[in-house]
Amino acid sequence: MVRKKGSLILCGAFLFVAWNALLLLYLWGRPPLGRPGDGGGAEPGEKEEWGLGRGGGGGAAAQANLAGEVIRLAEEVEVQLETQKKLLKQIEDHRAAWARQRDVGKRQTGHREEVQDPREPSEAPQERQEERGRTQKVGVATPPRPNEPIIPILVIACDRVTVKRSLDRLIQYRPSAELHPIVVSQDCGHAETARVIGSYGDQVTHISQPDLSDIRVRPEHRKFQGYYKISRHYRWALNQVFGAMGHSSVVIVEDDLEVAPDFFEYFRALYPVLRADPSLWCVSAWNDNGRDALVDPAKPGLLHRTDFFPGLGWMLLRDMWAELEPKWPPAFWDDWMRQPEQRRGRSCVRPEVSRTITFGRKGVSLGQFFDQYLRYIKLNAEFVPFTKHDLSYLLKEKYDDAFVKEVYGATPVRIEDLQQGGGLRGPGPYRVQYSSRDSFKVFARNLGVMDDLKSGVPRTGYRGVVSFLHRGRRVFLAPPEGWTQYDVSWS
């Protein structure tokens, strides 16, 4: 119907232009109004019609005929103008009818337009971009599809202008601004960093932590002032996302993290797993033992459970924040998260190949672990369609039985066997057993994995087991079979 109306309007406009062109040609084709006695005429041999001869007896008659011709032409022009007015009136009527039809169509398809995937072509891209900006300014998004969760990204920033690198990748890989609004929370009041964040306009929401004052600490903790401010900032920013903005989940990254191409796909796929399994309390994009030689490049889609809180790009639900916020620590929030009182036997999901890397050697930790470990972490480069995978194997009731069977069914070997490698056959898996804190640390150092423990939990450990690749073979650094719990005195 809309196409039919449009065709009528185009036909009307064409007739209007054609009619004026014919009228103009008609008037141009009329004989010129010559002066008496000049011999001018429209056509040869038609001087008698105009009463214009070389003789002098027809002057009065010629003037009379001239006046009559002018009057006749004026009447013709008036008739043509009246016809044109009618044409214009018809065109206007058709345009009004078309507009009414278009409004009805919009009302009927309004919902479908609202839920359009932003990755699909849009009839009005500029209008949709402006609408996204208005949504993100207030920080509260509306689902573009029924039952599609909104998972905002909270970027914790301070005084690093290199936050641009982090934001560039987040915006580049973000599949939908509606489903993943980016909130940049800045502490420190650093003007240059604020200008960098502001340069992204409506692509991000920029909020500023209002309390920039120093925190009163005991004298021996004055050198840790930065850690106190970070903890205060986290608490304020998470309260903004969950409280003021009303979101039900969030992925937290810091201003020195770069994300992988499937970063958003990873968290969207694991969101329902996190909600379904009460034994999980976070999903992390980070593998602490994610160096190139320690991960399986052939399995970028492999995921694990871990008892160690990884951080560095992690998803948190509002219900969990409601549990943590009232007792949030004044400093060292990440180690606090690793304490048994907070973890309460719960685990996180982590990837085989990290979906984040850190490029920030500068920070309150003064580059701790950066040169030795963090700079060598492998960032996944292959997009894995996690949302099309069955991830139910990560649920505790399925995962634990299979995990224990695989670990303790693996071939036990000595560390010397792994280091020499000559007597080993096949890709494994192999198991190296430790029995004490000291033996764990010695084996971990010799095999190239991180050897520190937090509240007795090794990095990436699950049920005391650290899983990694060594010279292309899967290895489990594991406690004796029958393990039951961590020993916090090992920290």
Side-chain angles (χ1 to χ4, degrees):
M1 185 66 182
V2 171
R3 289 182 178 177
K4 186 176 179 181
K5 294 295 184 181
S7 300
L8 288 174
I9 288 174
L10 289 175
C11 289
F14 175 78
L15 288 174
F16 177 78
V17 173
W19 186 269
N20 278 280
L22 290 172
L23 177 60
L24 186 59
L25 289 172
Y26 172 79
L27 292 176
W28 278 351
R30 299 289 296 176
L33 299 178
R35 293 186 299 274
D38 66 2
E43 298 288 345
E46 291 189 356
K47 296 184 182 73
E48 293 76 32
E49 180 182 344
W50 285 89
L52 301 175
R54 285 187 173 86
Q63 289 181 3
N65 288 338
L66 178 60
E69 184 67 14
V70 170
I71 292 172
R72 187 177 66 80
L73 283 174
E75 290 173 349
E76 287 183 6
V77 170
E78 185 177 356
V79 171
Q80 303 306 325
L81 288 174
E82 187 64 31
T83 303
Q84 293 173 20
K85 285 172 62 178
K86 290 179 181 178
L87 277 172
L88 287 172
K89 181 68 167 60
Q90 291 177 5
I91 291 173
E92 185 65 30
D93 291 342
H94 285 305
R95 190 173 74 171
W98 183 40
R100 286 194 297 272
Q101 182 67 28
R102 184 177 59 186
D103 290 340
V104 171
K106 278 187 175 180
R107 287 193 295 270
Q108 291 174 346
T109 61
H111 178 67
R112 288 194 296 273
E113 291 177 356
E114 287 176 4
V115 303
Q116 181 183 15
D117 191 327
R119 289 172 288 186
E120 298 173 356
S122 172
E123 292 182 2
Q126 183 61 38
E127 292 177 4
R128 288 190 63 79
Q129 183 64 32
E130 291 172 358
E131 181 63 28
R132 292 177 189 178
R134 287 193 294 272
T135 299
Q136 289 184 346
K137 272 187 175 180
V138 298
V140 180
T142 302
R145 293 190 189 91
N147 303 320
E148 281 277 5
I150 295 172
I151 306 176
I153 310 299
L154 173 61
V155 181
I156 301 293
C158 181
D159 59 355
R160 290 188 181 110
V161 294
T162 50
V163 66
K164 183 179 189 304
R165 177 174 169 182
S166 180
L167 291 176
D168 283 347
R169 289 294 177 267
L170 285 168
I171 292 171
Q172 177 185 354
Y173 298 138
R174 177 172 62 173
S176 165
E178 288 88 351
L179 293 176
H180 298 286
I182 297 172
V183 180
V184 186
S185 181
Q186 187 187 1
D187 201 357
C188 309
H190 190 248
E192 190 175 353
T193 301
R195 282 193 294 271
V196 170
I197 299 168
S199 69
Y200 288 88
D202 291 338
Q203 295 181 93
V204 305
T205 298
H206 184 193
I207 59 177
S208 298
Q209 202 281 112
D211 186 0
L212 304 182
S213 63
D214 285 341
I215 300 172
R216 295 185 63 181
V217 300
R218 58 184 187 267
E220 62 270 24
H221 270 213
R222 286 174 184 166
K223 61 182 179 181
F224 299 130
Q225 180 74 210
Y227 289 100
Y228 282 83
K229 289 185 175 182
I230 288 174
S231 189
R232 177 177 67 184
H233 184 196
Y234 263 83
R235 184 175 197 165
W236 181 85
L238 287 168
N239 277 333
Q240 295 303 304
V241 170
F242 288 125
M245 299 177 186
H247 291 293
S248 61
S249 64
V250 68
V251 175
I252 303 121
V253 300
E254 296 189 4
D255 55 0
D256 61 346
L257 290 184
E258 181 177 332
V259 303
D262 57 358
F263 174 85
F264 292 94
E265 175 80 0
Y266 173 78
F267 282 108
R268 290 205 73 77
L270 286 167
Y271 172 81
V273 177
L274 179 60
R275 292 193 64 89
D277 190 344
S279 70
L280 292 174
W281 71 323
C282 87
V283 173
S284 174
W286 179 258
N287 177 0
D288 277 295
N289 289 315
R291 291 193 294 166
D292 204 354
L294 299 176
V295 299
D296 190 344
K299 296 181 179 179
L302 180 60
L303 305 179
H304 307 268
R305 291 175 68 106
T306 176
D307 296 326
F308 190 91
F309 172 73
L312 295 176
W314 56 289
M315 180 160 59
L316 177 70
L317 300 180
R318 179 167 54 194
D319 291 345
M320 184 57 61
W321 178 242
E323 175 188 320
L324 298 174
E325 195 273 341
K327 54 180 181 176
W328 191 252
F332 309 107
W333 69 269
D334 49 350
D335 283 343
W336 175 84
M337 291 275 287
R338 293 162 183 149
Q339 294 173 359
E341 295 80 8
Q342 280 63 251
R343 194 173 70 81
R344 294 171 57 189
R346 295 172 292 203
S347 306
C348 297
V349 175
R350 68 163 179 92
E352 171 76 4
V353 185
S354 283
R355 264 58 187 186
T356 57
I357 57 169
T358 177
F359 54 84
R361 190 177 188 279
K362 170 192 171 185
V364 294
S365 62
L366 301 177
Q368 182 186 18
F369 295 131
F370 184 85
D371 291 329
Q372 187 177 1
Y373 292 103
L374 303 183
R375 65 184 300 178
Y376 302 109
I377 298 295
K378 176 182 175 62
L379 180 66
N380 179 63
E382 178 182 341
F383 186 93
V384 177
F386 285 111
T387 54
K388 298 179 180 179
H389 291 186
D390 180 5
L391 302 180
S392 63
Y393 71 89
L394 292 166
L395 299 175
K396 184 175 178 63
E397 61 269 19
K398 293 184 178 182
Y399 190 90
D400 280 13
D401 287 345
F403 180 76
V404 169
K405 288 178 182 178
E406 183 179 21
V407 171
Y408 295 100
T411 303
V413 295
R414 300 175 305 161
I415 191 170
E416 294 81 9
D417 297 330
L418 286 174
Q419 291 174 327
Q420 296 169 4
L424 301 180
R425 296 290 182 268
Y430 298 99
R431 175 167 50 91
V432 175
Q433 183 168 300
Y434 68 89
S435 56
S436 66
R437 174 184 180 274
D438 291 340
S439 64
F440 170 81
K441 294 180 79 68
V442 168
F443 292 161
R445 288 178 190 145
N446 280 276
L447 294 171
V449 298
M450 297 187 76
D451 67 343
D452 61 321
L453 303 103
K454 304 288 185 179
S455 297
V457 184
R459 290 181 185 267
T460 74
Y462 187 68
R463 297 178 62 91
V465 179
V466 176
S467 172
F468 58 97
L469 245 61
H470 183 268
R471 297 182 179 179
R473 300 180 175 96
R474 177 62 59 180
V475 174
F476 300 117
L477 183 55
E481 191 171 4
W483 176 96
T484 55
Q485 63 182 6
Y486 294 102
D487 186 344
V488 294
S489 69
W490 284 22
S491 298

